[in-house]
Amino acid sequence: MAASERRAFAHKINRTVAAEVRKQVSRERSGSPHSSRRSSSSLGVPLTEVIEPLDFEDVLLSRPPEVEPGPLRDLIEFPADDLELLKQPRECRTTESGVPEDGKLDAQVRAAVEMYSEDWVIVRRRYQHLSTAYSPITTETLRERQKGLTCQVFEQDTSGDERMGPEDTDDSQHCSGSPEDTPRSSGASGIFSLRNLASDSLLPALLERAAPEDVDRRNEALRQQHRAPALLTLYPAPDEDEAVERCSLPEPPREHFGQRILVKCLSLKFEIEIEPIFGTLALYDVREKKKISENFYFDLNSDSVKGLLRAHGAHPAISTLARSAVFSVTYPSPDIFLVVKLEKVLQQGDISECCEPYMVMKEADTVKNKEKLERLRLASEQFCARLGRYRMPFAWTAVHLANIVSSVGPQDRGSDPEGERRPTWAERRRRGPQDRSCSGDDACSFSSFRPATLTVTNFFKQEAERLSDEDLFKFLADMRRPSSLLRRLRPVTAQLKIDISPAPENLHFCLSPELLHVKPYPDPRGRPTKEVLEFPAREVYAPHTSYRNLLFVYPHSLNFSSRQGSVRNLAVRIQYMAGEDQSQALPVIFGKSSCSEFTREAFTPVVYHNKSPEFYEEFKLRLPTCVTENHHLLFTFYHVSCQPRPGTALETPVGFTWIPLLQHGRLRTGPFCLPVSVDQPPPSYSVLTPDVALPGMRWVDGHKGVFSVELTAVSSVHPQDPYLDKFFTLVHVLEEGTFPFRLRETVLSEATVEQELRASLTALRLASPEPLVAFSHHILDTLVRLVVRPPIIGGQIVNLGRGAFEAMAHVASLVHRSLETVQDSRGHCPLLAAYVHYAFRLPGGDLGLPGGVPPPTVQAATLALGSGRPTSLYLTRSKSISSSNPDLAIVPGSVDDEVSRILATKGVDRSHSWVNSAYAPGGSKAVLRRVPPYCGAEPRQLLHEELALQWVVSGSAVREVALQHAWFFFRLMIKSMELHLLLGQRLDTPRKLRFPGRFLDDIAALVASVGLEVITRVHK
């Protein structure tokens, strides 16, 4: 075609090919000036010219929809309904919420109740599922999509010879004359005569006039017919290891459970049946020398035997009639034992004398020993009637769980041909710490063995001098040796029949450790199965997701050897007192078996004629919602008279001691060695500790510690860490405004609480990892609240943005390090990702979901919308930083006058206000320190603006920590921005006007800084 005949648009096409460009670059690098001039003149475009990219937002604003209509407009516009705010109900395993509804709550409990009762707040993107990052194209998904597609063969994909086949014998098959069977390509014209082809159907409406809109609509409908549902279904799936990015939604936070074992107590029989026997189950880890579960109490006595204790107990609660329990084991080990302890009603005589009939008499000799048995039954009836509320140690035995698992074998061992297959990415991501701890060791897995029914026949009688857990661990370690010393002991003949199996997924009639009904619970009248609380052998890093507030009391020993008088049969009564009167004992002690659900008092077993007894008892208490300074545990020591004598009381109090539960706002736990008073405590004793020598009181052994006891709390309210306790206490004191307040040895006032709070923020990094992870949601929520709603102290707003950001960075780092073994494929901590996706919300105000009206105060209270804000000054790099300077105090009224007065009189320390000298006023990276106006009685900041500011001006150490977990802060900022737009109804605002320019400048500076760090580290 001649040049004059070429169309106009063809003259504008650049004929420069990639090969010429590569030649040009190579010539310029070779340094030839002639070749460079020659090529540049031929190309006409200098290769070194830098062209600024277009601002996509400006292009969209300059080209409104009516200028460029059509279906392609949707490809360049952002969907208006992309963001959606959802409230996902928090998963509740029980039919009851378990959250206390009492209106009298202190600040700490109230904050916990609010956090554990709120639903998850999720910002969902409607079209996120279309992205391959969240819906990856795998071989399985590709196969599913291709199931509905028909196999299409086009004419150009097949040659004429292939269509004829190797033998041209069936002419009728190819010359049928049907349009469907006749190929229409040029290759077919040489084979078939056009005269044999059938004519095409006519187009009846070809020459009729039709509106363009109707034609477009008809063509659109025709294009949708027989259209494939997915455009790239035939594209091969990428290799999983070569994927650029793999994103997934985090799993919602759930309560932690280990491998669960179901133990059913079927029957307990002795050679003789003369009195009630009560049993206790618990798990012990010999390697760690730790009890790893709470006690489970069961009663297998017949109704006739239970009737002997009818005078000492009310109608038993159905929760105390459980005969099966579910144990949880996070760290399975071949050194775990199921220990069974038996007790009987207290009677006259030591343990050996009381065990003698069970060791000598046989069931076959019943007729021979009929008279002796009658005497024993009569004596038992008398002891049950008089001493039925007291117990004494009887016998014990242990079951080695590793033997059960190894003897019956796993359920699926050797039966699954794919048992050794490599787990998928999703499976590896969902693996927990308990799965990794047992990898490669089948003997320690308690989740896949076959159910086993055991009959335990050998019990060992308890020894009065060896009742402690330390002695028990020695016995358990000795049981594993071939020449066990326990074999030399005379056994107590009995038959305990128990069934051990992996716990099913959805067990019916199950009670939680707080005695709440676990779903499904079909009938409240059914005999329940109890979930036994686990005490993990090692640390478990999992956040609290539900309300739990339990206290366990473990009396260890009592030394009354120097106590004068008849004090030999010693029993310890424990009471939870809300005051000093006996009527103020609270019914918060969990019942054992065949008794009421909660009691006001409980007793330890009695060791006959022993002034220095050891105890193995465990008391489980439900802590009240509001623990005050007057709440305390009262221990009363009694001498029990086993033999009735005229003028002798059944029980005689011989000592008193107590433990105040709350000290300086912190729950007291740990071991105690307490002195015991001979006299009854005087009035107002509960606010003091027994270590204080009160005047006029007599003490056992000269006021020395003679009673050893230990308190352990399993609580999602009380952290039991000194640094976390101090931080939460200070925050709640500020919220309540209760000044002065005593914190340990310091009395806090409004003048000193700010300094203490800043020091507490800095000290958060020193907290223990396990409680830090457990209370991570609570800590992060509190830090966010300090940033968004800074406290007011003495009428002044205290800006804690810098300290809160640094604490947030260190908390994220500690949580990440504690959970290094459960990170996803990108190295992200799933706990932090789940917090941002589900738990994080903007504090203060209702969410106002679609269909409801958002509260008007959400938008009006934000400082970013204040009209009186000073105009940003564009300094070096044209960057202006958001409102909250790390150290600047803000007060209501005239901004400039008030700030000048404060700076002149208060003397604010600015030695740490800047990153370095470059950020100082006049430096190369100086930032403007602006003061926002005071907005109402409750100031609020925008979290995303504050995080961007604090990140930009942070010091090198904090910036390094924040950079290592940049994904967490970016996600936090993104969700804050999304909530700000949704709750403020700003999605209809043009995109460039949704956020203030100072925030965009902070983001630009942050992106430049982070990008530079990434490039620098890559080139190292």
Side-chain angles (χ1 to χ4, degrees):
M1 182 182 296
S4 58
E5 298 178 359
R6 295 175 63 184
R7 301 178 67 177
F9 77 92
H11 291 282
K12 301 179 181 180
I13 297 178
N14 188 3
R15 298 296 176 180
T16 303
V17 296
E20 296 181 5
V21 176
R22 286 194 293 270
K23 290 180 182 180
Q24 168 67 12
V25 174
S26 62
R27 289 168 184 167
E28 289 185 353
R29 290 186 176 182
S30 62
S32 175
H34 302 287
S35 59
S36 177
R37 287 194 300 268
R38 185 171 58 255
S39 60
S40 62
S41 60
S42 61
L43 290 175
V45 178
L47 298 177
T48 58
E49 182 179 351
V50 178
I51 302 177
E52 291 292 335
L54 296 176
D55 191 327
F56 190 63
E57 306 288 344
D58 290 340
V59 173
L60 291 182
L61 291 176
S62 62
R63 302 177 67 86
E66 59 271 9
V67 175
E68 189 175 338
L72 296 181
R73 177 72 187 186
D74 298 336
L75 297 179
I76 63 174
E77 285 187 338
F78 292 93
D81 59 343
D82 187 24
L83 294 182
E84 182 182 15
L85 187 61
L86 301 177
K87 261 191 175 183
Q88 177 178 322
R90 183 185 291 260
E91 181 181 358
C92 183
R93 300 179 57 248
T94 58
T95 57
E96 308 94 340
S97 64
V99 177
E101 299 179 356
D102 188 3
K104 186 179 179 182
L105 303 175
D106 58 19
Q108 189 166 352
V109 178
R110 184 169 59 252
V113 168
E114 291 176 357
M115 185 176 65
Y116 298 135
S117 59
E118 289 177 339
D119 296 330
W120 303 128
V121 178
I122 301 175
V123 178
R124 186 172 71 92
R125 294 182 177 271
R126 295 178 184 270
Y127 309 103
Q128 185 172 267
H129 64 280
L130 301 177
S131 171
T132 56
Y134 290 89
S135 301
I137 301 177
T138 61
T139 305
E140 290 78 9
T141 57
L142 203 61
R143 190 179 297 113
E144 289 294 329
R145 293 180 181 180
Q146 293 176 359
K147 284 183 178 179
L149 298 181
T150 57
C151 183
Q152 300 182 8
V153 180
F154 297 93
E155 298 168 348
Q156 294 183 351
D157 298 335
T158 326
S159 62
D161 296 337
E162 293 175 352
R163 285 195 298 268
M164 289 184 62
E167 296 180 1
D168 190 12
T169 57
D170 192 359
D171 294 341
S172 62
Q173 182 179 0
H174 301 285
C175 303
S176 60
S178 174
E180 290 79 4
D181 298 335
T182 304
R184 301 173 59 94
S185 65
S186 59
S189 60
I191 304 174
F192 305 100
S193 176
L194 296 177
R195 297 177 181 177
N196 296 332
L197 297 177
S199 58
D200 296 336
S201 58
L202 300 177
L203 301 177
L206 180 63
L207 301 179
E208 295 181 1
R209 291 184 176 273
E213 295 79 6
D214 297 338
V215 176
D216 293 340
R217 187 164 49 254
R218 188 163 53 248
N219 290 339
E220 178 68 21
L222 292 175
R223 281 194 296 268
Q224 297 298 329
Q225 294 180 2
H226 308 292
R227 192 167 185 171
L231 183 61
L232 301 177
T233 51
L234 300 178
Y235 193 80
D239 191 359
E240 182 179 351
D241 297 332
E242 298 179 359
V244 176
E245 184 178 12
R246 177 67 61 83
C247 300
S248 60
L249 297 179
E251 295 289 338
R254 292 186 177 90
E255 185 178 354
H256 167 78
F257 289 103
Q259 299 181 11
R260 288 157 59 90
I261 306 171
L262 176 62
V263 180
K264 297 180 180 179
C265 302
L266 304 179
S267 63
L268 176 63
K269 294 183 179 180
F270 290 87
E271 294 289 342
I272 57 176
E273 185 179 5
I274 57 175
E275 59 184 334
I277 303 294
F278 308 94
T280 303
L281 294 179
L283 292 180
Y284 289 80
D285 193 329
V286 178
R287 179 188 303 174
E288 301 292 337
K289 292 186 177 181
K290 183 178 180 180
K291 182 183 178 184
I292 60 174
S293 78
E294 65 168 316
N295 286 345
F296 167 69
Y297 302 94
F298 63 93
D299 183 1
L300 299 177
N301 296 294
S302 61
D303 293 338
S304 60
V305 175
K306 291 180 182 178
L308 298 177
L309 298 174
R310 191 175 295 111
H312 295 278
H315 184 72
I318 193 172
S319 61
T320 63
L321 302 179
R323 295 179 178 177
S324 55
V326 178
F327 293 88
S328 176
V329 181
T330 299
Y331 298 103
S333 166
D335 302 300
I336 295 179
F337 287 82
L338 177 65
V339 176
V340 185
K341 294 182 181 180
L342 301 180
E343 294 179 354
K344 55 183 295 185
V345 176
L346 176 63
Q347 59 183 272
Q348 185 178 2
D350 59 16
I351 300 176
S352 299
E353 295 177 6
C354 298
C355 290
E356 188 67 21
Y358 295 92
M359 302 170 66
V360 175
M361 304 183 67
K362 302 297 181 182
E363 185 179 4
D365 301 333
T366 303
V367 178
K368 178 181 177 181
N369 301 322
K370 184 177 181 180
E371 295 182 0
K372 191 174 183 179
L373 285 175
E374 288 298 330
R375 288 197 303 268
L376 291 175
R377 288 194 181 97
L378 181 60
S380 298
E381 291 179 2
Q382 294 175 355
F383 286 124
C384 289
R386 187 170 183 271
L387 305 173
R389 66 187 305 185
Y390 300 105
R391 303 284 185 265
M392 66 178 297
F394 179 38
W396 71 277
T397 189
V399 178
H400 194 192
L401 292 183
N403 293 339
I404 306 301
V405 175
S406 60
S407 60
V408 298
Q411 289 180 334
D412 302 326
R413 184 178 296 176
S415 62
D416 188 3
E418 299 180 359
E420 299 299 328
R421 68 179 179 87
R422 181 187 178 187
T424 62
W425 174 84
E427 292 173 348
R428 294 196 305 268
R429 177 176 167 271
R430 287 194 296 265
R431 289 181 64 185
Q434 61 272 16
D435 298 324
R436 279 178 295 276
S437 64
C438 295
S439 58
D441 188 1
D442 294 337
C444 69
S445 176
F446 297 151
S447 60
S448 60
F449 62 94
R450 298 171 187 254
T453 301
L454 308 178
T455 301
V456 184
T457 57
N458 288 335
F459 282 80
F460 308 100
K461 71 178 182 66
Q462 293 278 17
E463 298 183 13
E465 305 298 332
R466 306 183 68 180
L467 295 176
S468 64
D469 283 348
E470 290 76 10
D471 296 319
L472 178 61
F473 284 122
K474 294 178 182 179
F475 287 139
L476 295 178
D478 193 61
M479 290 183 66
R480 303 185 58 184
R481 300 171 186 169
S483 58
S484 175
L485 296 177
L486 294 176
R487 297 180 182 178
R488 306 176 187 176
L489 302 178
R490 294 179 59 187
V492 177
T493 305
Q495 288 187 354
L496 174 62
K497 196 173 183 179
I498 59 176
D499 184 85
I500 302 177
S501 63
E505 187 70 23
N506 296 315
L507 187 63
H508 291 198
F509 303 103
C510 195
L511 295 177
S512 70
E514 292 82 11
L515 302 183
L516 302 176
H517 297 81
V518 179
K519 303 173 184 176
Y521 207 99
D523 188 356
R525 298 170 296 179
R527 187 184 295 273
T529 297
K530 285 187 177 181
E531 287 184 347
V532 178
L533 192 63
E534 180 189 7
F535 306 140
R538 298 188 297 276
E539 293 80 3
V540 171
Y541 301 106
H544 291 306
T545 58
S546 59
Y547 182 87
R548 174 165 289 165
N549 207 13
L550 302 175
L551 181 68
F552 291 87
V553 183
Y554 298 95
H556 290 319
S557 62
L558 176 65
N559 185 4
F560 267 18
S561 58
S562 62
R563 179 74 161 84
Q564 301 297 326
S566 178
V567 285
R568 295 180 294 178
N569 306 327
L570 294 172
V572 183
R573 183 184 70 175
I574 177 176
Q575 293 174 295
Y576 189 101
M577 306 296 294
E580 299 177 357
D581 190 82
Q582 282 297 317
S583 61
Q584 294 178 297
L586 300 182
V588 296
I589 304 176
F590 284 79
K592 296 182 179 180
S593 58
S594 300
C595 61
S596 57
E597 195 166 77
F598 290 95
T599 62
R600 299 178 183 270
E601 60 183 15
F603 292 85
T604 61
V606 178
V607 181
Y608 186 74
H609 280 193
N610 194 332
K611 284 192 172 185
S612 302
E614 293 181 338
F615 307 104
Y616 56 80
E617 190 57 61
E618 171 187 275
F619 298 102
K620 179 180 177 182
L621 290 77
R622 181 182 62 185
L623 284 174
T625 55
C626 185
V627 181
T628 65
E629 299 287 345
N630 292 326
H631 285 208
H632 63 282
L633 294 178
L634 177 61
F635 301 95
T636 306
F637 304 91
Y638 288 96
H639 166 72
V640 182
S641 178
C642 297
Q643 185 176 3
R645 294 177 182 176
T648 304
L650 173 63
E651 53 189 23
T652 305
V654 294
F656 306 88
T657 191
W658 64 95
I659 299 178
L661 288 177
L662 205 64
Q663 187 177 32
H664 308 317
R666 181 186 178 191
L667 184 68
R668 300 185 68 193
T669 56
F672 298 88
C673 189
L674 304 175
V676 175
S677 169
V678 177
D679 302 320
Q680 192 168 358
S684 303
Y685 72 92
S686 60
V687 296
L688 302 174
T689 64
D691 298 325
V692 178
L694 298 176
M697 291 188 64
R698 295 175 299 167
W699 300 87
V700 176
D701 201 7
H703 203 204
K704 294 181 181 179
V706 295
F707 178 55
S708 177
V709 63
E710 184 175 359
L711 305 185
T712 302
V714 180
S715 174
S716 59
V717 178
H718 304 280
Q720 303 176 75
D721 181 89
Y723 301 102
L724 299 182
D725 278 325
K726 180 180 179 181
F727 171 67
F728 288 133
T729 301
L730 290 173
V731 172
H732 297 319
V733 166
L734 282 176
E735 293 177 351
E736 298 291 331
T738 54
F739 293 104
F741 180 82
R742 186 176 184 85
L743 184 65
R744 298 179 183 175
E745 303 301 327
T746 307
V747 178
L748 298 180
S749 62
E750 289 185 336
T752 59
V753 68
E754 177 183 350
Q755 181 180 359
E756 289 290 337
L757 183 57
R758 292 186 185 275
S760 178
L761 287 172
T762 306
L764 279 179
R765 69 188 71 179
L766 304 177
S768 300
E770 186 176 17
L772 181 74
V773 174
F775 286 85
S776 56
H777 288 189
H778 199 174
I779 296 171
L780 292 173
D781 282 348
T782 306
L783 293 175
V784 168
R785 191 164 65 249
L786 290 178
V787 173
V788 176
R789 303 167 66 180
I792 301 176
I793 302 177
Q796 298 180 358
I797 303 174
V798 180
N799 195 310
L800 300 172
R802 176 188 175 186
F805 176 78
E806 294 180 358
M808 200 179 301
H810 288 292
V811 168
S813 178
L814 291 173
V815 171
H816 180 86
R817 289 204 304 265
S818 302
L819 297 170
E820 285 183 344
T821 57
V822 294
Q823 296 174 7
D824 60 14
S825 59
R826 295 173 294 170
H828 295 177
C829 176
L831 188 151
L832 297 175
Y835 167 76
V836 177
H837 186 76
Y838 296 99
F840 167 70
R841 64 179 65 211
L842 294 179
D846 191 9
L847 290 176
L849 297 177
V853 180
T857 57
V858 173
Q859 180 174 351
T862 55
L863 294 176
L865 303 179
S867 59
R869 189 167 185 139
T871 306
S872 301
L873 297 181
Y874 291 88
L875 305 177
T876 306
R877 297 175 57 189
S878 299
K879 298 292 182 266
S880 66
I881 307 303
S882 62
S883 62
S884 66
N885 189 270
D887 297 332
L888 192 56
I890 309 168
V891 295
S894 176
V895 177
D896 297 336
D897 296 340
E898 290 288 337
V899 170
S900 301
R901 182 174 57 84
I902 293 174
L903 296 182
T905 59
K906 192 175 181 180
V908 180
D909 181 14
R910 304 182 181 279
S911 58
H912 300 285
S913 296
W914 311 102
V915 178
N916 47 43
S917 59
Y919 284 98
S924 58
K925 298 181 180 180
V927 295
L928 177 64
R929 310 183 69 175
R930 295 188 303 268
V931 183
Y934 183 73
C935 299
E938 187 178 280
R940 298 187 184 181
Q941 310 281 4
L942 293 177
L943 180 64
H944 47 274
E945 293 188 4
E946 293 302 310
L947 289 181
L949 166 70
Q950 302 300 336
W951 199 344
V952 169
V953 301
S954 60
S956 57
V958 178
R959 181 178 298 183
E960 176 66 23
V961 176
L963 185 63
Q964 293 177 358
H965 311 285
W967 67 271
F968 168 71
F969 289 100
F970 282 139
R971 287 191 182 183
L972 203 61
M973 294 167 61
I974 289 172
K975 187 170 183 180
S976 174
M977 296 163 64
E978 292 170 341
L979 292 175
H980 172 62
L981 295 179
L982 287 169
L983 300 181
Q985 296 181 330
R986 300 174 63 90
L987 287 176
D988 296 335
T989 308
R991 291 175 54 86
K992 296 204 70 174
L993 302 180
R994 293 176 180 177
F995 301 99
R998 59 184 173 275
F999 173 63
L1000 301 180
D1001 293 339
D1002 292 345
I1003 291 295
L1006 183 59
V1007 170
S1009 174
V1010 174
L1012 181 60
E1013 287 287 342
V1014 172
I1015 295 173
T1016 304
R1017 300 187 182 201
V1018 167
H1019 287 288
K1020 282 185 178 179

